[in-house]
Amino acid sequence: GQNIDQPTEMTATEGAIVQINCTYQTSGFNGLFWYQQHAGEAPTFLSYNVLDGLEEKGRFSSFLSRSKGYSYLLLKELQMKDSASYLCAVKDSNYQLIWGAGTKLIIKP
Amino acid sequence: GAVVSQHPSRVICKSGTSVKIECRSLDFQATTMFWYRQFPKKSLMLMATSNEGSKATYEQGVEKDKFLINHASLTLSTLTVTSAHPEDSSFYICSAPPIAGHTEAFFGQGTRLTVV
């Protein structure tokens, strides 16, 4: 079966750095996405990785290792507004998105 | 950028009634629309894929007669929850596939359905 694993919840301090990990086992791979979702709202796109390595976009970076079936999202200079759920999703061989359950990130002052 | 408009954002209905959720692509044509539901603290679960001009494709375990999907035009897809029950209470989100120049899907704002 297809599976995406992420930690359920993480806590970090305002101004700090946090890394959210994602491991996947899917039938094929056509890219990995990270989305941010605030409660009661639709997900918003953060990043996309299809090749191994690090993609940096402002305070957010995403890393991918296809051989390990592993990705992480790195958030720097955390702000209170970063409190949200972060969803990892993989596009499989049928180009269908398989979603993780999300990691709830709690930012403390 | 591409915008998908979904409404209503919140709806409360009585058991046994039907509720229609609309998703419109505002500045592009969407021949396909994905419909998801999401329970609290759970992942997005694909329910069905609507295709303009043909029947929707339902995921295993999703009742076709209960969740009616219609893709009436290149800019409108609807999900109707028929004979709603409290267990149908959930967050429903539509999503259009990426368009040229984009890798990410485009989501509607989501609909919080509460059946009482």
Side-chain angles (χ1 to χ4, degrees):
Chain A
Q2 308 205 87
N3 197 44
I4 309 275
D5 287 315
Q6 308 177 232
T8 304
E9 187 174 296
M10 298 182 71
T11 302
T13 304
E14 189 178 16
I17 299 173
V18 71
Q19 177 175 311
I20 302 174
N21 295 325
C22 170
T23 57
Y24 62 90
Q25 300 91 38
T26 56
S27 56
F29 178 84
N30 282 295
L32 184 144
F33 297 80
W34 283 96
Y35 282 82
Q36 180 190 63
Q37 186 180 26
H38 286 98
E41 299 180 9
T44 55
F45 171 72
L46 291 177
S47 68
Y48 171 71
N49 295 70
V50 67
L51 300 176
D52 291 350
L54 188 69
E55 293 281 343
E56 296 185 79
K57 191 185 292 185
R59 293 189 299 116
F60 293 3
S61 302
S62 57
F63 171 83
L64 173 68
S65 169
R66 289 171 296 171
S67 62
K68 296 181 179 179
Y70 167 72
S71 173
Y72 68 72
L73 179 69
L74 191 72
L75 292 79
K76 302 176 184 177
E77 301 170 19
L78 285 170
Q79 302 174 8
M80 297 304 293
K81 67 178 182 179
D82 296 330
S83 292
S85 286
Y86 290 86
L87 307 176
C88 173
V90 172
K91 192 168 283 188
D92 67 10
S93 56
N94 294 320
Y95 292 89
Q96 185 169 121
L97 275 176
I98 310 301
W99 293 86
T103 299
K104 182 179 180 180
L105 178 62
I106 300 168
I107 310 295
K108 295 186 174 180
Chain B
V3 176
V4 175
S5 176
Q6 180 177 349
H7 70 92
S9 58
R10 291 177 179 273
V11 58
I12 300 173
C13 71
K14 292 184 178 180
S15 290
T17 61
S18 296
V19 173
K20 179 184 282 188
I21 302 170
E22 293 188 348
C23 272
R24 295 179 184 273
S25 54
L26 296 186
D27 48 3
F28 67 102
Q29 293 181 334
T31 56
T32 299
M33 194 73 75
F34 301 107
W35 287 94
Y36 294 91
R37 72 186 292 183
Q38 186 178 32
F39 292 107
K41 300 182 181 180
K42 300 294 184 182
S43 67
L44 293 164
M45 297 299 297
L46 181 65
M47 298 174 65
T49 303
S50 71
N51 302 289
E52 191 272 335
S54 63
K55 291 183 178 180
T57 304
Y58 288 80
E59 297 301 305
Q60 192 172 13
V62 178
E63 298 177 59
K64 300 179 182 181
D65 295 332
K66 181 168 185 61
F67 299 99
L68 299 179
I69 289 176
N70 182 263
H71 203 121
S73 72
L74 288 172
T75 58
L76 175 64
S77 176
T78 61
L79 166 66
T80 301
V81 183
T82 63
S83 186
H85 291 151
E87 55 264 33
D88 298 326
S89 299
S90 187
F91 191 57
Y92 294 86
I93 313 176
C94 62
S95 170
I99 59 174
H102 294 264
T103 54
E104 75 277 18
F106 300 98
F107 286 89
Q109 298 91 327
T111 298
R112 171 69 62 190
L113 170 63
T114 303
V115 184
V116 298

